[in-house]
Amino acid sequence: MMVMDRRLLIIVLVLFTTFTGFGMIIPVLPDAILAAGAKEYHLGLMLSLYSLVSLIVSPLWGSLSDRIGRKPVIFWGMLGFAASFLLLAISGRSLFLMYASRFLGGLFSGAAIASSVAYVADITSEEERTKGMAYVGMAIGLGFVAGPALGGVLGSIFLALPFEVATVLSLLVALLVAYSLTESLPEEKRGRGEKVTWRDRLHLLQGPMAYLFTLSFLVTFTLAAIEATLFYFEAQKVGLTRLELGWLFMIIGIVGALVQGGIVRRVKKGQESTVLIFGFLLSALGFVLIMFSSSFWTAALYLSVFGIGNALQRPAVTSLITQKTPAEQGVTSGTNSAMDSLGRIIGPVVGSGLYSLNIYLPYVAGALLSLLAVVIVFLFRRLEGSRLKNLEPYHRA
């Protein structure tokens, strides 16, 4: 049975800090934007800029970690992430500095996240990969829970405090990486990443791997769409306040962390696709149930059904991607991180657009996409035995 050794614990802290930092700004950034005399739409633009930059650079950071090792990329990622929050803390009423901060945040979070996932793939066997990725998913889920809660509490003291706290936390984790984290990629296994071309990256998105990356995108896309519309939906349907919605997101995060920490880490190699099917079916059911919310408690229950499904999906699909890839782990994890960023860019835009047409449309679409994902899993199962087994890793001189 896999135990969380010091290396895995540090990686969990890296991911937890990264996603906590991202979440901490959500309750306070709208007020900072209004204080600068800017319109509300700048919030969406800043969040999209963060994810867009992360989308572009994550594969490049992953490839770099294949050449020079995971540790330096994780370290500089956390150091740059701290700098992005420091810039936000001193931005005052400067809209330009706020945008610059979000640019830096996307740039360096991509380094920390992509290389951390590759690190976990390095230190786990294929049999233990899903368990390792469950810890990754648990760290991300807990970060999403802790971030908005901390941001709301600290921001009520004074507006820049969440940014200052995030700066200090990121610096502390960077120092922990520098002095306590050992390198996971031996010297003899480095260097091949520099020969991976964009043609190779496109090759990685072909065949059965394309199905897996599509599933990874759908996991994030459906979650991002629900985050962008749930407050408005529940406020109109049930009359929930912003505080009650915060409790709802805390519930979904706790449920997800419990599922990933208690159930998913016990999944054995070969069971990942079955877990994915159950996960997407539960998400589809959750989307349908959410439309029938009638009180805070029914909303919490129905959202928990969705949360369980989403919690099952992420570590299972990440495990399959790292197991089945014909490329190196840094390139693969970077590409997967890019799919995650793409989902965080498109999900809120599509969800909000559908909501403006009809408040039920985002949830109908989410249920249909979840069912489509089930079909994709079956297509992957059929193809992996024929084509994926014939793909050879990139062994280049």
Side-chain angles (χ1 to χ4, degrees):
M1 180 178 179
M2 181 181 177
V3 295
M4 189 188 297
D5 63 14
R6 185 178 67 176
R7 297 174 300 171
L8 187 55
L9 178 60
I10 294 173
I11 293 299
V12 165
L13 287 174
V14 168
L15 292 170
F16 174 76
T17 303
T18 303
F19 283 90
T20 298
F22 176 78
M24 283 175 71
I25 72 169
I26 293 176
V28 290
L29 193 56
D31 290 333
I33 290 171
L34 292 177
K39 298 294 185 181
E40 291 86 348
Y41 67 83
H42 285 283
L43 173 63
L45 291 178
M46 286 184 192
L47 295 179
S48 293
L49 175 65
Y50 178 99
S51 298
L52 179 61
V53 173
S54 182
L55 165 69
I56 295 170
V57 303
S58 287
L60 304 178
W61 284 120
S63 182
L64 179 64
S65 77
D66 283 332
R67 298 201 303 270
I68 67 174
R70 317 298 185 203
K71 178 178 177 177
V73 178
I74 296 172
F75 169 74
W76 286 108
M78 292 308 299
L79 203 61
F81 197 57
S84 75
F85 282 111
L86 179 60
L87 187 60
L88 196 55
I90 65 174
S91 62
R93 296 187 176 185
S94 170
L95 200 63
F96 172 78
L97 289 181
M98 293 181 195
Y99 272 103
S101 166
R102 294 301 80 211
F103 178 87
L104 285 178
L107 177 66
F108 287 103
S109 69
I113 295 169
S115 300
S116 292
V117 174
Y119 190 105
V120 174
D122 290 338
I123 66 173
T124 55
S125 64
E126 289 192 358
E127 289 74 16
E128 295 181 325
R129 187 70 45 76
T130 302
K131 299 174 186 177
M133 294 305 166
Y135 285 120
V136 168
M138 183 173 64
I140 293 172
L142 288 174
F144 273 124
V145 173
L150 282 173
V153 172
L154 296 174
S156 65
I157 300 173
F158 64 91
L159 197 59
L161 185 57
F163 311 142
E164 295 172 359
V165 170
T167 300
V168 173
L169 288 177
S170 300
L171 281 175
L172 290 175
V173 172
L175 291 174
L176 184 65
V177 169
Y179 292 103
S180 298
L181 187 67
T182 57
E183 178 56 59
S184 65
L185 191 65
E187 287 279 354
E188 61 271 16
K189 291 186 178 181
R190 301 179 200 172
R192 290 178 294 172
E194 61 186 351
K195 298 182 182 292
V196 177
T197 66
W198 283 106
R199 184 177 180 180
D200 296 324
R201 296 181 192 280
L202 291 177
H203 179 69
L204 186 60
L205 295 174
Q206 296 174 0
M209 290 299 296
Y211 292 103
L212 294 180
F213 284 120
T214 300
L215 291 172
S216 180
F217 166 78
L218 288 174
V219 171
T220 302
F221 175 88
T222 53
L223 179 60
I226 201 174
E227 287 175 341
T229 61
L230 189 67
F231 170 73
Y232 302 106
F233 179 83
E234 296 294 358
Q236 182 172 343
K237 187 98 168 38
V238 185
L240 296 187
T241 65
R242 193 171 295 274
L243 177 61
E244 289 172 322
L245 184 71
W247 284 111
L248 283 184
F249 277 116
M250 181 168 289
I251 288 171
I252 188 177
I254 292 172
V255 168
L258 289 174
V259 169
Q260 290 170 336
I263 298 176
V264 179
R265 69 185 182 89
R266 292 184 171 86
V267 174
K268 298 179 180 179
K269 182 184 176 183
Q271 297 176 333
E272 294 90 352
S273 61
T274 301
V275 171
L276 274 175
I277 291 171
F278 278 109
F280 281 112
L281 287 176
L282 280 173
S283 286
L285 176 61
F287 275 119
V288 173
L289 289 174
I290 287 170
M291 293 189 285
F292 295 93
S293 300
S294 59
S295 67
F296 172 83
W297 293 111
T298 58
L301 176 62
Y302 300 156
L303 191 61
S304 294
V305 174
F306 168 82
I308 292 171
N310 190 266
L312 290 172
Q313 296 158 19
R314 188 179 300 276
V317 72
T318 305
S319 176
L320 280 174
I321 287 172
T322 57
Q323 288 181 46
K324 305 297 183 180
T325 179
E328 296 175 10
Q329 291 297 341
V331 174
T332 301
S333 296
T335 304
N336 190 35
S337 182
M339 293 298 102
D340 179 77
S341 296
L342 188 63
R344 284 190 276 122
I345 295 169
I346 301 176
V349 176
V350 173
S352 299
L354 291 174
Y355 187 88
S356 67
L357 298 175
N358 185 286
I359 65 171
Y360 294 101
L361 273 182
Y363 307 97
V364 173
L368 293 176
L369 286 174
S370 297
L371 293 177
L372 173 63
V374 173
V375 175
I376 293 174
V377 175
F378 280 111
L379 290 175
F380 166 75
R381 276 182 161 182
R382 188 178 70 178
L383 286 176
E384 71 167 339
S386 56
R387 295 185 61 186
L388 195 58
K389 289 181 180 178
N390 295 325
L391 292 176
E392 293 294 333
Y394 295 130
H395 292 301
R396 297 207 168 100

